[in-house]
Amino acid sequence: EDNMPKVNLGRNEAGEALTTLLWGRKAVTGMPAEEMAAIAGVSPRTMQERKKDPTALTVKQLLRLGRRMGVPIEDLRAALKY
């Protein structure tokens, strides 16, 4: 049994918040991954990469996704605290 404390160096809190907001909404609404990628104007593969690091999304992409997915801009702004 490993009793050592877990340390996550380099944790990306903004990325985690964006992933929760966007991909959580995607799951709740049942939006296909391809549609989410089309809204952002990227390939499905690129969108999958953005799930790992959503801070790589541009402001324009975030705004498009937020509008189409019903995520208030205030929530997006709050997720981007840095």
Side-chain angles (χ1 to χ4, degrees), residues 27-69:
V28 168
T29 62
M31 178 182 284
E34 295 77 15
E35 183 178 349
M36 190 175 183
I39 292 167
V42 298
S43 71
R45 180 178 176 95
T46 298
M47 199 67 207
Q48 187 61 32
E49 291 171 6
R50 296 300 179 262
K51 184 175 182 180
K52 296 173 191 165
D53 181 16
T55 59
L57 290 163
T58 66
V59 171
K60 189 175 182 179
Q61 290 169 332
L62 285 171
L63 290 174
R64 274 194 222 139
L65 287 165
R67 274 190 221 111
R68 290 283 298 275
M69 298 175 82

Side-chain angles (χ1 to χ4, degrees), residues 64-80:
R64 274 194 222 139
L65 287 165
R67 274 190 221 111
R68 290 283 298 275
M69 298 175 82
V71 177
I73 192 166
E74 294 81 13
D75 292 352
L76 289 171
R77 189 177 298 127
L80 290 172

